Amino acid sequence: MTLVNAKDLIDLLEPDYKAHNQVLTKEVLDGYWLPALSGHSMEDIGPAVQLAYKETAFRLTPADICKHLPDLLGHPHPEQAWAMFPKDETRGSWVSGQIMSAGAMVEELIFKKDLIAARKSFLATYEDLVKKSRFDGEAANFFWTGERDKIFISETINAVNLGLITNQRGRKAIKTACRAMAISKEETDRFYQKLPQYHDEEIEPTLWIENDEPIPSQGVDSEKAHNDAYQSREPSNTYDLARKMHENMTRDKIWHHWPSLESWTLVLNKLIRADGYELEKVNEVWAWLCDQKFEVRNEIPNAFYFEKRFSELLESMKGG
C-alpha cells in the first residue's frame, strides 16, 4: 500500500486543474491537498478522484474526494451505516456505537413505518456523531446485536472482509459459534476459507470485553426471585454489571428494549475505561434508575441512551 505522496497526487490532480485553466502550485499541494489526504493510500485516492469527477462540474476539492475514501477511524459512510442498522429486534448486525446511537433517535419513526423520514434523520444524526468521534480520535468499535447462528457467521465473514473487525476476532467468533451449534470441523474450515489469509495477527487495542465464563445465575427458583437477585446483586467486574443490566432489561423487571449484552459491555467499557467512572458508581446509578417510575425509566430505552445521559442521571440521583 502506497500512502499519498506529492508526485502521484500531482499526476492525479493536474488534469483537473488544467481543465479549469488553473495551476496546481507547490504551496497549494503542500498546504492544502497533502494534509487533507494524509493517511489515505494512493490505491484508494485514485478511484475516489474518478468518482468525484462524475459528481461535479467544478474544480475538485479534498471534500469531493474524501467522501469516497474509507474513514481512517473505521466509521462507515452514512448510507452504509443506515443499511447496517437493524430495523427490528429480530435482525442481527455488526454495528458501532455511533450507528446504534443514531438509530435510537429514529426508533419511533421506524416503528411507525416512516422509513423515509427515519433514514433522513438517521443520516444527519450519524454524521454529527461521527464528526465528534473524529474530533476526539475515537475509532469505531463494532459488536454484534443478534443471535449466534449461521446468519451471524455469514455476517461475520462480511464484517472481516469489509475491515470492520479484525481477522483474528472474526475467526474466534466463528469458532465459538460453530462449536455452540455443533458444526463440523470440515464446515468450520470452509467458513475460514472465505476469510483473508491468516498469519496470527495480533488483536488491535479495543474497548471490547471478551468473557468466555459468564457469571453463573444465583440459583433462585422463580422468575421474580431471579429478577430480585439481579436487581440487588453487587457486580464484581464490568462484564458482570453488563450482564446484570441486560438481565434487568430483558426479564420485565424494568423494561424490554434492544436486549443486547454486547451493547452494555461496549457502553460500560466507555464509561469505566475511557470516561473514568468507577464500577460501583455506575452500578449505583443503574440501581437508582431501576427504582424510578416507569416514565423516567422509559426515557432510557437502551444502553446508548444510558451512556449519553449518564452524567445527567448521576446528578439527578445526587439531588434526589
Side-chain angles (χ1 to χ4, degrees), residues 184-194:
S184 68
K185 181 180 184 302
E186 290 73 17
E187 189 173 358
T188 301
D189 288 341
R190 286 196 289 273
F191 291 138
Y192 290 159
Q193 290 169 9
K194 297 178 181 179

Side-chain angles (χ1 to χ4, degrees), residues 231 234 244-245 277-292 296 300 306 309-320:
Q231 168 71 17
E234 291 295 325
K244 171 184 172 180
M245 291 170 151
Y277 290 105
E278 295 181 354
L279 176 73
E280 293 76 10
K281 183 58 66 177
V282 177
N283 179 51
E284 187 180 349
V285 172
W286 176 255
W288 172 85
L289 178 61
C290 290
D291 287 335
Q292 303 308 300
V296 176
I300 311 295
F306 182 74
R309 296 185 55 185
F310 182 79
S311 58
E312 176 187 335
L313 294 172
L314 179 59
E315 290 303 315
S316 296
M317 182 188 73
K318 290 178 180 178

Side-chain angles (χ1 to χ4, degrees), residues 47-201:
V49 168
Q50 298 306 314
L51 288 171
Y53 278 149
K54 298 176 181 180
E55 295 184 349
T56 179
F58 304 100
R59 183 175 59 77
L60 294 183
T61 68
D64 296 326
I65 298 172
C66 284
K67 66 181 180 180
H68 297 294
L69 291 172
D71 186 276
L72 294 177
L73 292 172
H75 299 284
H77 288 297
E79 290 289 357
Q80 183 186 1
W82 170 246
M84 294 167 66
F85 176 67
K87 309 302 188 295
D88 62 70
E89 296 182 18
T90 64
R91 174 192 164 189
S93 180
W94 282 98
V95 295
S96 66
Q98 291 79 9
I99 291 174
M100 291 302 287
S101 293
M105 301 295 184
V106 299
E107 285 176 348
E108 184 174 353
L109 291 171
I110 292 175
F111 179 76
K112 294 178 178 178
K113 307 298 183 183
D114 190 353
L115 293 183
I116 295 176
R119 172 185 165 275
K120 182 178 180 181
S121 179
F122 176 95
L123 296 179
T125 302
Y126 177 77
E127 286 183 358
D128 288 342
L129 291 170
V130 169
K131 284 179 183 177
K132 182 180 184 305
S133 296
R134 287 173 182 155
F135 181 81
D136 295 337
E138 180 183 350
N141 287 293
F142 291 91
F143 58 93
W144 179 254
T145 63
E147 299 293 328
R148 262 50 172 194
D149 50 18
K150 286 199 172 184
I151 293 177
F152 164 71
I153 293 174
S154 174
E155 291 299 316
T156 298
I157 291 170
N158 290 336
V160 172
N161 287 313
L162 288 171
L164 303 181
I165 61 175
T166 63
N167 198 345
Q168 184 170 1
R169 183 178 172 194
R171 285 172 180 268
K172 179 178 179 181
I174 291 170
K175 178 181 179 181
T176 301
C178 287
R179 183 181 299 169
M181 290 185 283
I183 292 175
S184 68
K185 181 180 184 302
E186 290 73 17
E187 189 173 358
T188 301
D189 288 341
R190 286 196 289 273
F191 291 138
Y192 290 159
Q193 290 169 9
K194 297 178 181 179
L195 298 171
Q197 189 173 1
Y198 185 56
H199 299 289
D200 294 326
E201 299 95 333

Side-chain angles (χ1 to χ4, degrees), residues 226-279:
H226 184 90
N227 289 334
D228 290 342
Y230 272 90
Q231 168 71 17
S232 60
R233 179 169 59 82
E234 291 295 325
S236 59
N237 53 46
T238 308
Y239 181 89
D240 193 10
L241 177 56
R243 186 167 179 263
K244 171 184 172 180
M245 291 170 151
H246 177 64
E247 290 282 347
N248 284 161
M249 268 198 160
T250 57
R251 289 186 175 268
D252 295 327
K253 179 163 183 68
I254 312 303
W255 57 108
H256 179 90
H257 208 79
W258 289 110
S260 169
L261 180 57
E262 288 84 355
S263 300
W264 284 112
T265 58
L266 183 77
V267 161
L268 293 181
N269 261 317
K270 175 71 165 53
L271 287 171
I272 294 170
R273 295 190 183 183
D275 296 342
Y277 290 105
E278 295 181 354
L279 176 73

